[in-house]
Amino acid sequence: MPLQDHLPKIQTDGKFFRCGDQRMWLKAVTYGPFPENKTLSHTTELARIKAAGFNSIRLFTLPDLAFLNTAHTHGIHVFAGLNWRHYEDFLSNPSLYSAASVKLTQWLEKYSHHPALSGIYVGNEIPANLVRWMGPTNVRKSLEHLIDLGRNIAPHLLFAYANYPSTEYLEPENADFTAFNIYLEQRQSFAAYLRRLHNIAGDRPLVVSEFGLDSLRSSAQIQADTIEWALQTSYEEETAGFTVYAWSDLWENNGIDIQDWDFGLTQRNGDPKPALQVCENFQPSPPLKTNHKYSIVVCTQNSAPRISSCLTAISKLQGGPHEIIVVDDGSSDLTAQIISQNFPSVRLIRISHSGLSSARNIGAENSSGDIIAYTDDDCEPDQDWII
């Protein structure tokens, strides 16, 4: 029996994500890969992950149908990982890259429309010394080609590369969101780096694709405290999501059972650590709404092709009381007519062409709000702009 699609696809929404008609903060945890002889019960573990408040998981492999079905049953979005030999010189040995392309193509042709699947990471932390050897531009173009390849097959999915601080310059220009693995154990440094990454991300969502702490070398309580402030800081710094590394202390790398790192929220026997309780308790809270009245002023001239998008976005603002004023600075096209016919709540002021500064002054003189907020006619303000 085919699965019913009760999981709306995650889409980008400016600097954030949207799932269906709701803004979504990606609260994710990495899952696997596990040692071959110590495979967990996915049904049991995904139920625990959902109960802990996670809405997504990040994999480092491409899952099979049974796993995707289990994730779907529990209402968990899956971000799969293209696992290939990117830790080798794949430019000198192009068969490695060709194999990755074929692997991605064949898997997407089978599973790209599965309702649990939301995105693909086309790679993870290509070693910096190898990047310098192959050439940063060549490596970045290779990643961008994989993204293009995947998007041509599955344009409804999100594609990204899991970068890290040593290779900031590898950020693919065509990624749907910017993803960085960050292991900074000082809150102030972590917050400062997120602000830097927002500059790298530009208009795209920023996701912390890995953050964790080894409880073996510190302690389980320090791990919990660190993840707690990292979650809160990531939300306060307006990332689009945060990924805890990792769900379990069970972990294998290139076929080797890793025994000397304990990054999991759960122990090897499945027992929870204090950090799991931290994740369960953390719930992103909506921003506090202001009681101040805003006057939103848009100064425009000949903006018929774009003014509707601007005013539609403004009409969806979630903040406190506000008025919308458009100062039409001598338009000779249909700008005024579009506003009058389609946006009756907008106060339209028409003036002879006087320049932007004059138009802004006129908007301010005619405002009644406690705060005047200016935006341009080619902007679409975020729904939480005036909260």
Side-chain angles (χ1 to χ4, degrees), residues 104-138:
L104 178 64
T105 298
Q106 292 179 342
W107 189 85
L108 285 174
E109 287 175 346
K110 284 185 177 181
Y111 303 122
S112 65
H113 288 285
H114 195 284
L117 184 65
S118 286
I120 305 288
Y121 286 94
V122 298
N124 182 74
E125 291 192 14
I126 299 175
N129 57 349
L130 183 61
V131 173
R132 290 193 295 269
W133 174 261
M134 293 188 290
T137 301
N138 295 328

Side-chain angles (χ1 to χ4, degrees), residues 35 164 175 279 296 315:
Y164 70 127
C279 294
I296 300 170
S315 68

Side-chain angles (χ1 to χ4, degrees), residues 9-317:
K9 291 297 182 186
I10 299 175
Q11 299 176 313
T12 57
D13 181 15
K15 290 280 291 179
F16 302 96
F17 291 124
R18 182 173 296 278
C19 187
D21 59 355
Q22 297 294 319
R23 174 68 58 81
M24 175 186 186
W25 196 70
L26 204 70
K27 184 182 175 184
V29 63
T30 67
Y31 187 79
F34 303 112
E36 186 175 351
N37 61 342
K38 298 177 181 178
T39 302
L40 301 177
S41 166
H42 299 319
T43 298
T44 300
E45 298 306 306
L46 293 186
R48 296 178 70 191
I49 287 172
K50 184 67 174 182
F54 292 104
N55 52 37
S56 310
I57 56 173
R58 179 190 169 193
L59 306 178
F60 296 94
T61 58
L62 299 174
D64 60 18
L65 179 60
F67 184 90
L68 289 170
N69 287 348
T70 303
H72 181 267
T73 297
H74 293 288
I76 296 175
H77 296 272
V78 175
F79 285 79
L82 176 64
N83 52 317
W84 58 290
R85 290 161 62 182
H86 55 59
Y87 46 83
E88 300 180 34
D89 185 350
F90 54 83
L91 295 182
S92 296
N93 186 358
S95 64
L96 300 178
Y97 187 78
S98 297
S101 301
V102 171
K103 186 176 187 177
L104 178 64
T105 298
Q106 292 179 342
W107 189 85
L108 285 174
E109 287 175 346
K110 284 185 177 181
Y111 303 122
S112 65
H113 288 285
H114 195 284
L117 184 65
S118 286
I120 305 288
Y121 286 94
V122 298
N124 182 74
E125 291 192 14
I126 299 175
N129 57 349
L130 183 61
V131 173
R132 290 193 295 269
W133 174 261
M134 293 188 290
T137 301
N138 295 328
V139 175
R140 188 179 68 251
K141 287 181 177 179
S142 298
L143 293 171
E144 291 170 347
H145 175 73
L146 286 174
I147 291 174
D148 283 339
L149 178 67
R151 187 174 286 127
N152 286 337
I153 301 170
H156 56 286
L157 297 180
L158 301 174
F159 290 87
Y161 165 69
N163 209 342
Y164 70 127
S166 299
T167 58
E168 289 180 351
Y169 45 80
L170 276 188
E171 180 62 17
E173 294 183 2
N174 60 345
D176 289 298
F177 61 95
T178 294
F180 267 77
N181 303 338
I182 311 170
Y183 291 87
L184 287 173
E185 299 174 12
Q186 299 296 323
R187 184 170 190 170
Q188 186 174 2
S189 299
F190 180 71
Y193 192 60
L194 290 180
R195 293 165 198 156
R196 171 177 172 79
L197 291 180
H198 272 300
N199 289 326
I200 292 175
D203 293 337
R204 290 182 292 197
L206 170 63
V207 172
V208 178
S209 43
E210 285 183 29
F211 181 95
L213 190 69
D214 179 11
S215 64
L216 182 64
R217 289 169 177 78
S218 52
S219 73
Q221 188 56 53
I222 292 175
Q223 179 196 42
D225 294 341
T226 301
I227 289 177
E228 183 174 32
W229 62 246
L231 278 163
Q232 186 62 42
T233 301
S234 294
Y235 186 70
E236 290 173 352
E237 294 296 331
E238 298 191 325
T239 68
F242 181 90
T243 311
V244 179
Y245 182 88
W247 174 248
S248 172
D249 285 341
L250 284 173
W251 180 54
E252 71 91 16
N253 188 17
N254 292 325
I256 300 173
D257 186 352
I258 306 300
Q259 295 283 339
D260 59 346
W261 282 0
D262 290 346
F263 278 86
L265 299 177
T266 61
Q267 301 177 38
R268 286 176 174 78
N269 64 1
D271 287 347
K273 297 183 190 177
L276 180 57
Q277 185 67 50
V278 164
C279 294
E280 291 173 352
N281 292 340
F282 179 80
Q283 295 295 332
S285 56
L288 295 175
K289 293 186 178 181
T290 178
N291 291 322
H292 294 294
K293 180 180 178 181
Y294 281 81
S295 293
I296 300 170
V297 178
V298 181
C299 300
T300 188
Q301 184 191 42
N302 294 333
S303 62
R306 58 188 181 272
I307 193 63
S308 290
S309 297
C310 174
L311 294 179
T312 298
I314 292 174
S315 68
K316 296 178 181 179
L317 292 176

